[in-house]
Amino acid sequence: MLRALLEVVFPRRCAGCGEGPWPFCDACRSSLLALERPWCERCGAPAPAPRTRCRACPPPEIERARAPFLFEGPARNAIHHLKFEGWRGVAEALGASMAAVAGPWGPAETSGTQAASPAAGPDSPVDAVTWVPLSARRLAERGFDQARALAEVVGSRLHLPVARLLVRTTDTGSQARRSGPMRRAAMAGAFESAGQPPPLVLLVDDVLTTGATAAACARTLLDAGASRVRLLTAARALAPAERAQLRPGPGRYTRMGLAPGSVVARGNVPR
Ligand SMILES: [Zn+2]
Ligand SMILES: [Zn+2]
């Protein structure tokens, strides 16, 4: 009720540029770079032909990784708005696209891919969704956890339980200037288990860069009893070699049914 009222007074703006209509205006939608096949089946990085792994693959703790968008342009802006400016509605716009790429990992009865995805297979349904948590200090600064907001939209759309399974025990500061191995060293021991994880966990974060943070989370979940961990992020940063494999095409954001006028665009996201 309050939210509906606020949206009349302060209508939502394009998650990318903040000017056009929500969730993404035409200009931003057409410049969102979608990650699509052919790709590395393990991590979803674009490739000249389908492959089972690649140089951009995250650390081995991550069974598979997917992200709807390259971390550039409107997707990068949207994540910035979500993380640093508290535009919580952005989680719905991005989470819807994340759920669309992770569709095969939803419950078998809704994904319709049961026959193609045996229980032990790489696209079998996950048991629960969790997220890469902020430290208590960062959470107090920001007021909300952006990865949790994304995880809740993904869980709601895929009809999966969302559970807090991790606690961040140390504040490692910005990873942006650290190399891959340095990031991994900095992240080791940064998380603790917050309960018994189910066998197959879907870990949600905003951006996949080297995967060091996600791997530290996955290691903690595996040590606590999970048998497999998959990763779903809103966007993916790519090195120039993988970035060069992206081919322009019709915007997947439109094909996902997320164009203006769709359920997401109207803001009627099922909770
Ligand atoms: Zn825009
Ligand atoms: Zn890969």
Side-chain angles (χ1 to χ4, degrees):
M1 176 70 183
L2 178 62
R3 195 170 96 172
L5 192 64
L6 284 173
E7 284 182 6
V8 174
V9 184
F10 304 106
R12 293 188 196 192
R13 293 288 168 193
C14 169
C17 65
E19 302 282 325
W22 197 81
F24 285 102
C25 71
D26 287 347
C28 287
R29 204 149 22 87
S30 64
S31 51
L32 278 168
L33 290 162
L35 301 175
E36 299 185 277
R37 290 189 170 85
W39 59 23
C40 166
E41 289 296 330
R42 179 161 171 255
C43 77
R51 55 186 58 183
T52 53
R53 43 194 63 230
C54 73
R55 287 190 318 177
C57 270
E61 289 87 350
I62 308 293
E63 181 189 49
R64 284 202 156 193
R66 291 288 183 267
F69 304 118
L70 185 68
F71 186 53
E72 277 182 20
R76 187 184 186 126
N77 292 342
I79 289 169
H80 188 96
H81 290 145
L82 175 66
K83 267 174 109 155
F84 302 114
E85 292 171 32
W87 292 18
R88 299 185 195 202
V90 171
E92 288 172 23
L94 293 173
S97 306
M98 294 164 74
V101 295
W105 301 347
E109 63 269 26
T110 58
S111 70
T113 55
Q114 190 168 25
S117 301
D123 279 320
S124 56
V126 301
D127 298 306
V129 180
T130 195
W131 65 94
V132 175
L134 291 178
S135 66
R137 184 173 71 83
R138 198 67 69 82
L139 182 59
E141 277 169 17
R142 288 198 194 150
F144 83 115
D145 189 327
Q146 76 277 357
R148 179 181 188 166
L150 293 169
E152 284 175 353
V153 176
V154 168
S156 154
R157 294 195 146 249
L158 294 182
H159 308 287
L160 286 166
V162 180
R164 174 189 293 280
L165 297 175
L166 293 162
V167 175
R168 196 165 197 141
T169 52
T170 53
D171 199 320
T172 47
S174 172
Q175 290 273 59
R177 293 176 190 209
R178 296 188 177 117
S179 67
M182 284 173 70
R183 286 181 185 214
R184 292 214 70 178
M187 293 314 299
F191 298 93
E192 273 177 14
S193 160
Q196 174 70 47
L200 181 43
V201 178
L202 178 58
L203 178 67
V204 166
D205 202 2
D206 48 10
V207 184
L208 169 58
T209 306
T210 63
T213 306
C217 288
R219 172 47 51 206
T220 304
L221 292 166
L222 295 168
D223 289 348
S227 49
R228 296 146 72 194
V229 179
R230 293 195 201 129
L231 176 65
L232 179 63
T233 58
R236 171 93 190 254
L238 287 176
E242 285 73 33
R243 169 76 178 74
Q245 302 300 327
L246 266 180
R247 48 193 74 179
R252 186 165 67 178
Y253 197 76
T254 306
R255 298 206 305 284
M256 282 172 184
L258 303 175
S262 70
V263 169
V264 188
R266 290 199 306 272
N268 300 329
V269 177
R271 301 296 306 172

